[in-house]
Amino acid sequence: MLYRNFGKPIFFKMDPEKAHHLVVGGLDKAAFMPGGSAALRLMYGVPETADMAVDLFGVHFPTPVGLAAGLDKNAAAVPGFSSIGFGFMEVGTVTPKGQPGNESPRLFRLPSDEALINRMGFNNEGAEAMVQRLKALKHRRIPVAVNIGRNKATNNEAAHEDYRQCIRTLYPYGDFFVVNISSPNTPDLRSLQHGSELSFLLAQVKEEMEIQRKATGLNKSLLVKIAPDVSDTELEYMVHTLTEAGMDGIIATNTTITREGLSHEKAGEAGGLSGKPLRDRSTEIIRKIYSQTGGKMPIIGSGGIFTSQDAYDKIRAGASLVEIYTALIYEGPEVNRKLHAGLRQLLRRDGFRTLSEAVGADHH
């Protein structure tokens, strides 16, 4: 209740982006204060239990709920986010060179819809800056995935070079990697999801991953984050191409450009919509991917998760792990304990001994 009664009213009176930077900066400072991480874990941590832990992508996830990309773009507060109940987190989206992103204002709250709209545009300090931050972390409590993208100034014909450069630079420092070709806020980026452009890009990044694997002796998994705004035919093609290219998993989904059913006055702002309005569509896409692949392509479910039932619906539809972003803004760090406790109750109610047993249960 601390966040809902005290933190949220203060943050929601501030400009959304300023509040965002305050939270990330505050978590960073809190984690590095003497006893700071321990205090955060005491207040918000989620203890690992055998029934909820997941092993996937050659990585151990102490809990199944992660932090989606976009909140910690520069890996600035990994110890802080690692201490408030997440089982893993994505950092980024990072690009080879630092860039300012789109002009402000570029982040909007829609409280009546429990949603956010952002058109940040991959604002980040660049791959080298992220290396320095991740390198400085001697110990990580949770897996850290690196979400990679292309610079705004790079056209799609040369996009593969940006993705390869990110992998080349960051390979030793990420536990796994996520190719972001689905943000609506970088011009033409989403066209990389379709046709020969997708096949070519995936072949290139896969080749770079293999080069780095041989050079370092470290085996890292590669996932692709897809958009919710695709037809059934487009989704089927994308999933087929990802499977053929040997991708290790899919994150479903990124933000949406649709605005159906919104009531807030900011609903017309350009950018990607996240939060509750995305919940059902992202779950539907998870269900279709699981069905098409026979459950053989691991899925991380993302989009509109606010309650344990929301998370459970995605797990039963086929997600092995889930991620939140907007719920953290609206519900605060207490949300992880609520999600975890509720998920355990739902698993027990339905007779599952472990979370992994429930993955794809709707299909069986």
Side-chain angles (χ1 to χ4, degrees), residues 45-55 60-65 85-87 141-142 321 336-337 339-345 347-348 352-356:
V46 175
E48 179 177 349
T49 55
D51 58 337
M52 298 292 282
V54 176
D55 290 295
H60 180 71
F61 298 85
T63 69
V65 181
F86 287 110
R141 294 188 166 274
I142 61 173
L321 298 162
N336 279 320
R337 281 187 174 173
L339 290 174
H340 194 269
L343 274 172
R344 292 191 83 191
Q345 287 178 351
L347 289 173
R348 284 197 292 269
F352 297 115
R353 290 167 300 170
T354 67
L355 182 133
S356 297

Side-chain angles (χ1 to χ4, degrees), residues 296-317:
K296 291 176 183 172
M297 174 70 82
I299 304 163
I300 297 178
S302 181
I305 296 171
F306 274 67
T307 67
S308 52
Q309 186 66 55
D310 297 337
Y312 192 51
D313 288 346
K314 283 178 167 49
I315 290 161
R316 289 189 61 108

Side-chain angles (χ1 to χ4, degrees), residues 67-263:
L67 176 67
L71 200 55
D72 193 355
K73 293 176 181 293
N74 298 302
V78 172
F81 283 115
S82 301
S83 301
I84 60 171
F86 287 110
F88 65 102
M89 66 182 290
E90 283 188 72
V91 294
T93 298
V94 63
T95 53
K97 298 174 185 173
Q99 59 182 28
N102 296 323
E103 288 185 17
S104 298
R106 53 191 182 178
L107 180 61
F108 307 90
R109 302 187 196 97
L110 285 65
S112 57
D113 300 306
E114 292 186 276
L116 298 172
I117 291 174
N118 93 82
R119 50 171 181 264
M120 306 298 285
F122 290 173
N123 56 308
N124 74 104
E125 295 171 7
E128 288 291 350
M130 183 175 282
V131 164
Q132 297 311 311
R133 289 215 171 92
L134 293 177
K135 205 174 179 179
L137 299 176
K138 304 300 180 198
H139 170 68
R140 292 186 200 164
R141 294 188 166 274
I142 61 173
V144 176
V146 177
N147 185 299
I148 59 175
R150 71 156 169 84
N151 279 113
K152 186 177 181 180
T154 305
N155 60 35
N156 277 359
E157 287 69 32
H160 63 281
E161 287 296 343
D162 277 14
Y163 288 97
R164 291 188 73 143
Q165 183 59 50
C166 284
I167 292 166
R168 211 157 27 234
T169 306
L170 283 151
Y171 191 86
Y173 307 103
D175 292 300
F176 59 102
F177 289 82
V178 181
V179 176
N180 187 349
I181 50 174
S182 51
S183 169
N185 301 317
T186 296
D188 298 325
L189 185 74
R190 282 190 170 192
S191 65
L192 290 172
Q193 294 182 121
H194 309 294
S196 58
E197 285 187 279
L198 179 60
S199 301
F200 176 73
L201 175 65
L202 296 180
Q204 288 286 319
V205 294
K206 187 74 174 173
E207 181 180 81
E208 190 60 51
M209 291 288 287
E210 183 61 19
I211 290 169
Q212 297 307 316
R213 184 187 68 79
K214 288 178 179 174
T216 63
L218 302 168
N219 193 27
K220 308 286 178 81
S221 291
L222 184 65
L223 286 69
V224 177
K225 189 168 192 175
I226 65 171
D229 310 310
V230 291
S231 67
D232 286 353
T233 304
E234 287 170 334
L235 179 63
E236 197 171 318
Y237 169 79
M238 284 162 59
V239 172
H240 174 76
T241 305
L242 296 179
T243 305
E244 289 294 301
M247 295 297 107
D248 298 299
I250 297 174
I251 298 185
T253 63
N254 211 320
T255 56
T256 181
I257 55 173
T258 62
R259 297 292 187 266
E260 221 172 291
L262 300 182
S263 61

